[in-house]
Amino acid sequence: MTDLSATTTVAPVTGRDRANASGAPRTRRRRAGRGTASTIVVTGLLTVVALYFLAPVYWVVVAATKSTEDLFATNGFLLAPTVNLWENLTQVLTYDGGIFVRWFANSLLYAGAGGLIATYFAAAGGYALAKYRFRGREAIFGLILGGVLVPGTATALPLFLLFSELGLANTYWSVLLPSLVSPFGIFLCRIFAQATVPDSLMEAARLDGAGEMRIFHTIGLRTMVPAMVTVFLFQLVGIWNNYFLPLVMLSDDELYPITLGLSNWNSQTQRLPEFYELTTGGVLLSIIPLLVAMIVLQRFWRGGMTAGAVKE
């Protein structure tokens, strides 16, 4: 009987095999080292960028706690021995019969209502340009892209002359109406609708008897939520920080937004130094709505990352 174990042969280990066996861990260690270095570099750059954007906010918070004397006598990034935050904010809210509260409400109206309506119009326009085929579609889209390149300062004076003829200058409408159009929002919504709104789902809705407006509101708007949140935030920040258009349109200080009102206060600091406290406190209060909007609405971005996922 043949012994099978005697006939078993073992392949010799060559130099190439030893090199492969010893080189694999080195390659993995080398790749891990490169990955760790890249992570450190990226983290460092992001930290520098974050500090660059957060430093002015920190300075505003610290400055709002100081009196006029401490504002110039102490380090701008360090707290003063006496904290006057509550006194400064109280003075901001009660000065001149509470005019700052009126400016704050005006900015909420301009930015809130203008941002919401502009977002809806942008979503409707982008959806129509993405999902409907009609003559002149690309020409219209080209004109909209041209509108993105036109700065708002170039259209402020023609708008003032037009609204003066219509009797709308120095009214809420003179600031609100120009804010309802967002060429960039239409561009973004069209790109997003092309990529995320499925034609098959729209056809299924039409077969079920749904009208075009119902399809847009039930399918289009729900699918385009991440893009709409982006457009709304751009409009909110843009309208809230808009200065030149209200400066041209408005002459009644009760119609001023926060930007124009704070500029008016800042222009009086050379004559009345106590306006430094009003200005710094007002700036602190003016950034709160933008921070709240960013924190609240960012969850829609996270939810939109999986909006196109399909299970089979």
Side-chain angles (χ1 to χ4, degrees):
M1 190 173 195
T2 305
D3 188 359
L4 296 178
S5 61
T7 61
T8 303
T9 59
V10 179
V13 179
T14 63
R16 181 179 300 176
D17 295 333
R18 293 193 188 94
N20 292 337
S22 61
R26 294 179 182 175
T27 303
R28 286 194 293 268
R29 286 196 299 269
R30 196 177 299 115
R31 291 176 179 175
R34 286 200 298 266
T36 303
S38 300
T39 302
I40 294 174
V41 171
V42 172
T43 304
L45 290 176
L46 291 177
T47 302
V48 172
V49 172
L51 291 176
Y52 175 79
F53 285 104
L54 292 177
V57 178
Y58 173 76
W59 184 91
V60 168
V61 174
V62 173
T65 65
K66 299 180 180 181
S67 63
T68 301
E69 294 78 9
D70 292 334
L71 188 62
F72 293 97
T74 60
N75 189 298
F77 290 93
L78 298 178
L79 292 174
T82 303
V83 177
N84 296 323
L85 177 62
W86 181 252
E87 292 80 358
N88 291 346
L89 296 183
T90 302
Q91 186 178 2
V92 169
L93 297 175
T94 58
Y95 179 79
D96 195 15
I99 190 64
F100 180 85
V101 179
R102 182 64 178 266
W103 295 341
F104 194 91
N106 292 341
S107 290
L108 287 178
L109 174 64
Y110 296 142
L116 286 174
I117 298 175
T119 301
Y120 178 82
F121 286 164
Y127 174 86
L129 290 171
K131 293 302 174 182
Y132 297 124
R133 299 184 181 275
F134 53 89
R135 181 176 299 177
R137 182 179 67 168
E138 296 303 325
I140 294 175
F141 186 63
L143 290 175
I144 294 173
L145 288 181
V148 176
L149 304 177
V150 178
T153 54
T155 60
L157 185 57
L159 285 174
F160 172 74
L161 297 176
L162 176 62
F163 286 169
S164 296
E165 292 293 331
L166 298 175
L168 296 178
N170 196 33
T171 64
Y172 285 109
W173 295 109
S174 61
V175 178
L176 188 59
L177 288 179
S179 305
L180 302 183
V181 180
S182 174
F184 171 76
I186 296 177
F187 166 76
L188 181 63
C189 287
R190 184 196 183 187
I191 301 301
F192 196 85
Q194 284 179 332
T196 60
V197 180
D199 294 333
S200 58
L201 192 58
M202 296 174 59
E203 291 297 332
R206 293 189 182 103
L207 292 176
D208 288 340
E212 296 300 326
M213 289 298 294
R214 183 178 179 184
I215 294 173
F216 168 65
H217 288 98
T218 57
I219 298 177
L221 288 183
R222 294 182 181 180
T223 308
M224 297 166 61
V225 166
M228 294 172 61
V229 170
T230 304
V231 173
F232 175 73
L233 284 177
F234 270 101
Q235 285 294 108
L236 179 70
V237 174
I239 300 172
W240 189 273
N241 294 330
N242 193 4
Y243 171 77
F244 190 71
L245 181 65
L247 177 65
V248 173
M249 293 291 184
L250 303 176
S251 58
D252 186 357
D253 61 352
E254 293 190 354
L255 301 178
Y256 284 178
I258 281 183
T259 51
L260 199 55
L262 291 177
S263 177
N264 187 27
W265 279 356
N266 186 57
S267 65
Q268 303 182 52
T269 53
Q270 300 297 328
R271 183 172 55 89
L272 300 171
E274 59 269 18
F275 273 94
Y276 281 111
E277 301 173 8
L278 294 174
T279 304
T280 55
V283 170
L284 176 62
L285 293 177
S286 69
I287 65 176
I288 293 177
L290 301 181
L291 293 176
V292 172
M294 182 65 67
I295 294 173
V296 171
L297 294 178
Q298 65 177 333
R299 66 187 183 91
F300 292 99
W301 280 327
R302 292 196 299 267
M305 292 179 182
T306 58
V310 178
K311 289 184 178 181
E312 295 188 6

